[in-house]
């Protein structure tokens, strides 16, 4: 079964997101934990969180994804930047316990001139400080496009972070199709090869979610601009191969394409139909 959903606004609360997902036939979704371009956060409505938890259980949703703000930089050069990341992650992980068993996605960060090795060390240091064996949340490191000083543009960088974290069983990876394509992993011409490389470097057991995005830019551009499914340089045929690939079966696929709810609904119908017809052909 194709588990697919989209990114939803959390402005109207947890339960509203769950019902919005149901309205477009999604069985997963993603939301920002707070203002993605800042850090402001609303008071937690425990009853609303509990209502969503019941809906997810009763309606057969697979795991959902909470996304940290873009302003979180665990490997920033300045102490105040890393302290902001520390406080955001600590509070977000505390709140995620009201929706236990789900996923919390972060962009690894930008080393801003310190170098990849130092960036990796700082990210692992923060994760070692914050991860707790009692947490019911899995923290995901997202694959990045490799623009500027981003950490995570190569699988080896994520592997190195994972290897430095003591409670690495609390960690996984979210593969973003636009990001890896822009980073130079050819998921159009050699999806099997890319997934084999991921397995060799990181291990497919670490892969917990997929951000399903087409790309506005050509292969290897290191730009990171998402496009509507089938309208970008990755294309619909490659996207279909991704959603039906045996190595990815059962994972939550999250659409982050430039769409509103009706557009996401159309993409979900399209991809589910293509997945079903591919399965029917054997």
């Amino acid at each position: 079964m194709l588990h697919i959903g989209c990114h939803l606004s959390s402005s109207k609360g947890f339960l509203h997101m769950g019902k919005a997902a149901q309205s477009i036939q999604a069985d997963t979704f993603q939301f920002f934990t707070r203002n993605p371009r800042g850090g402001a956060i609303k008071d937690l409505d425990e009853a609303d969180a509990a209502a969503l938890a019941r809906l997810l259980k009763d309606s057969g949703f697979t795991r959902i994804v909470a996304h940290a703000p873009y302003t979180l930089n665990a490997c920033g050069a300045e102490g105040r930047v890393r302290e902001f990341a520390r406080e955001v992650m600590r509070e977000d992980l505390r709140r995620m316990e009201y929706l236990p068993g789900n996923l919390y996605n972060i962009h690894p960060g930008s080393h801003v001139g310190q170098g990849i090795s130092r960036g990796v060390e700082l990210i692992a240091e923060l994760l070692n400080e914050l991860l707790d064996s009692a947490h019911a949340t899995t923290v995901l490191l997202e694959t990045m496009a490799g623009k500027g000083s981003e950490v995570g543009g190569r699988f080896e960088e994520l592997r190195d972070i994972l290897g430095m974290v003591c409670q690495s069983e609390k960690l996984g990876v979210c593969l973003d199709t636009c990001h890896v394509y822009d980073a130079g992993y050819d998921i159009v011409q050699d999806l099997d090869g890319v997934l084999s490389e991921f397995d060799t470097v990181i291990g497919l057991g670490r892969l917990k979610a997929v951000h399903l995005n087409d790309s506005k830019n050509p292969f290897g551009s290191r730009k990171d601009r998402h496009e509507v499914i089938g309208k970008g340089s990755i294309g619909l045929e490659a996207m279909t191969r991704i959603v039906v690939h045996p190595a990815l079966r059962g994972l939550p696929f999250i659409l982050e394409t430039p769409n509103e709810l009706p557009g996401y609904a159309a993409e979900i119908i399209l991809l589910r139909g293509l997945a079903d017809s591919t399965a029917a052909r054997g």
Side-chain angles (χ1 to χ4, degrees):
M1 178 180 180
L2 175 60
H3 296 299
I4 189 167
C6 64
H7 189 96
L8 296 171
S9 170
S10 61
S11 61
K12 295 182 179 179
F14 288 123
L15 185 59
H16 183 272
M17 287 191 293
K19 290 183 175 180
Q22 284 185 313
S23 76
I24 58 170
Q25 301 178 51
D27 63 353
T28 183
F29 62 89
Q30 177 178 272
F31 65 97
F32 280 119
T33 57
R34 56 184 70 216
N35 181 342
R37 302 291 180 183
I41 191 168
K42 298 192 303 183
D43 290 340
L44 177 68
D45 185 334
E46 295 183 18
D48 187 34
L52 174 60
R54 288 192 297 272
L55 176 69
L56 298 178
K57 181 179 178 180
D58 294 344
S59 301
F61 275 68
T62 192
R63 293 201 286 183
I64 63 171
V65 183
H67 199 306
Y70 297 132
T71 47
L72 188 156
N73 185 2
C75 60
E78 298 180 30
R80 63 176 180 80
V81 174
R82 296 195 301 276
E83 180 59 27
F84 174 79
R86 179 178 293 106
E87 292 307 313
V88 165
M89 281 193 66
R90 180 180 287 120
E91 177 63 12
D92 282 356
L93 288 172
R94 184 189 72 81
R95 287 174 173 234
M96 285 299 293
E97 293 303 291
Y98 289 91
L99 296 168
N102 288 298
L103 306 167
Y104 176 66
N105 184 76
I106 66 170
H107 290 185
S110 295
H111 63 73
V112 288
Q114 300 174 94
I116 289 289
S117 295
R118 181 57 178 156
V120 165
E121 289 174 1
L122 288 169
I123 295 163
E125 181 180 296
L126 181 60
L127 290 169
N128 274 321
E129 180 181 339
L130 294 179
L131 292 181
D132 188 319
S133 60
H135 286 155
T137 300
T138 300
V139 176
L140 305 185
L141 304 172
E142 185 172 341
T143 59
M144 303 306 294
K147 68 180 188 293
S149 63
E150 280 182 341
V151 177
R154 307 308 300 170
F155 295 158
E156 288 81 3
E157 295 164 20
L158 300 182
R159 174 202 63 196
D160 291 347
I161 296 169
L162 294 166
M164 292 181 184
V165 175
C166 296
Q167 300 207 33
S168 65
E169 71 277 3
K170 294 293 181 181
L171 291 174
V173 174
C174 175
L175 187 146
D176 186 300
T177 56
C178 171
H179 293 177
V180 295
Y181 189 69
D182 284 12
Y185 292 99
D186 196 351
I187 56 174
V188 174
Q189 299 298 328
D190 190 20
L191 176 61
D192 286 340
V194 172
L195 292 176
S196 177
E197 183 175 352
F198 185 98
D199 193 31
T200 298
V201 176
I202 297 176
L204 283 168
R206 292 281 193 183
L207 187 54
K208 305 298 182 184
V210 176
H211 282 165
L212 196 64
N213 302 302
D214 213 322
S215 175
K216 288 183 181 291
N217 292 293
F219 174 65
S221 61
R222 301 178 70 169
K223 293 290 188 182
D224 180 15
R225 291 189 65 204
H226 300 182
E227 181 57 285
V228 171
I229 299 299
K231 302 296 184 182
S233 58
I234 297 176
L236 189 57
E237 286 187 18
M239 284 294 178
T240 303
R241 290 194 293 271
I242 290 166
V243 298
V244 301
H245 197 284
L248 307 178
R249 187 173 294 129
L251 296 178
F253 286 89
I254 303 294
L255 295 159
E256 297 179 317
T257 51
N259 268 315
E260 300 296 332
L261 206 60
Y264 286 133
E267 287 182 329
I268 289 170
I269 292 170
L270 171 65
L271 289 165
R272 280 229 168 94
L274 290 168
D276 288 346
S277 63
T278 300
R281 292 196 302 269

